[in-house]
Amino acid sequence: METLNAIEALGALSQETRLEAFRTLVRHEPEGLPAGEIARHLSVPQNTMSTHLAILVNAGLAVSRREGRSVVYRARLATMEGLVSYLLKDCCQGQACLPTIETTKGQCR
Amino acid sequence: METLNAIEALGALSQETRLEAFRTLVRHEPEGLPAGEIARHLSVPQNTMSTHLAILVNAGLAVSRREGRSVVYRARLATMEGLVSYLLKDCCQGQACLPTIETTKGQCR
DNA sequence: TCGATATATCGAGAATTATGGAAACATTAA
DNA sequence: TTAATGTTTCCATAATTCTCGATATATCGA
């Protein structure tokens, strides 16, 4: 991942509503969730949510597909993987790598 | 790491000057670098840099110590580790864990 | 003490982002 | 068609963030 993509992803995730939306999408993998349900779930007006979802999509952290009247969003975990990899490798020059893997790998599924 | 701390760290890193400053600090571990040198290095006015450094410190991503007339900043890799761990475990429910570790661990030092 | 150097804080303008009402668009069912 | 439903886009306002000149603070050496 390039620095500019990383900045965009970091910016997308650094907002409470969007971070919660992303987490919600992760919990609903792999089926995804319609925009309206995400909005209801987070108690946010649907047009506001729509704007936030567009930002997540733009950052590569989500994708959408139309399904009838609904637009179903899914998390894109590959981008999160790329972001984390960027933070550990390029940003930290591998210096945060080993301890992070050590403290994290027990929680993997 | 709590969600609110994560949002603060994400926000701190989602700005070009600050991300570059952090990367610069990582490259200068473990000695650290005086504020003025960071500013010069990134061609940013010293007061602007000072503001950005304060934001990094506030997010726990840097620490400072006075050394004579200078204030020397160091990266706090533990916070980065915590952030990455949060992203992989809590945010992604461990779903991004294994692939990320797989693609990253070869680059660790 | 004073002057020089290094950094932080203040304050204000510019730029960006967040928010949500209203309207437009898309899809379905009748 | 038309009405109902789900979503996005448009637009304006509010809030936040960025930037940097001017000034204040801290430290040092003379």
Side-chain angles (χ1 to χ4, degrees):
Chain A
M1 176 174 294
E2 303 295 319
T3 294
L4 287 186
N5 302 325
I7 287 178
E8 194 161 18
L10 290 164
L13 293 173
S14 71
Q15 205 274 350
E16 200 166 351
T17 303
R18 284 196 298 264
L19 183 58
E20 281 314 308
F22 180 79
R23 284 163 59 107
T24 302
L25 291 181
V26 169
R27 269 188 252 107
H28 286 81
E29 276 288 286
E31 333 83 66
L33 212 58
E37 281 195 48
I38 305 171
R40 226 167 301 125
H41 198 273
L42 303 188
S43 308
V44 169
Q46 54 85 205
N47 59 347
T48 301
M49 193 69 253
S50 179
T51 302
H52 284 310
L53 287 170
I55 289 169
L56 285 174
V57 168
N58 224 281
L61 288 162
V63 289
S64 68
R65 64 176 192 276
R66 180 167 283 277
E67 210 161 88
R69 271 178 284 217
S70 298
V71 176
V72 176
Y73 284 82
R74 277 192 63 182
R76 239 169 76 74
L77 292 171
T79 297
M80 179 60 88
E81 290 162 30
L83 173 62
V84 167
S85 199
Y86 171 89
L87 291 177
L88 292 178
K89 293 189 333 205
D90 296 294
C91 176
C92 287
Q93 303 199 124
Q95 294 193 39
C97 246
L98 286 175
T100 305
I101 286 180
E102 231 23 72
T103 60
T104 309
K105 73 180 171 200
Q107 333 272 338
C108 297
R109 29 187 78 172
Chain B
M1 178 176 294
E2 303 296 319
T3 294
L4 287 186
N5 301 324
I7 286 178
E8 194 161 19
L10 290 164
L13 294 172
S14 70
Q15 207 273 350
E16 199 166 352
T17 303
R18 284 195 300 264
L19 183 58
E20 280 315 309
F22 181 80
R23 284 163 57 108
T24 302
L25 291 181
V26 169
R27 276 197 296 283
H28 286 81
E29 276 287 286
E31 334 83 67
L33 211 59
E37 281 195 46
I38 306 171
R40 228 167 299 126
H41 198 272
L42 303 188
S43 307
V44 169
Q46 66 80 207
N47 59 347
T48 301
M49 193 69 255
S50 178
T51 302
H52 284 309
L53 289 170
I55 290 169
L56 285 174
V57 168
N58 225 279
L61 287 161
V63 288
S64 68
R65 65 175 190 276
R66 180 168 283 277
E67 209 159 89
R69 271 176 285 214
S70 300
V71 176
V72 176
Y73 285 83
R74 277 192 63 182
R76 240 170 75 74
L77 291 171
T79 297
M80 178 60 90
E81 290 162 30
L83 174 62
V84 168
S85 198
Y86 171 88
L87 291 177
L88 292 178
K89 296 191 328 204
D90 296 295
C91 177
C92 288
Q93 302 199 124
Q95 296 194 37
C97 247
L98 286 176
T100 305
I101 286 180
E102 229 25 70
T103 60
T104 309
K105 73 181 171 200
Q107 332 272 338
C108 297
R109 23 186 84 167

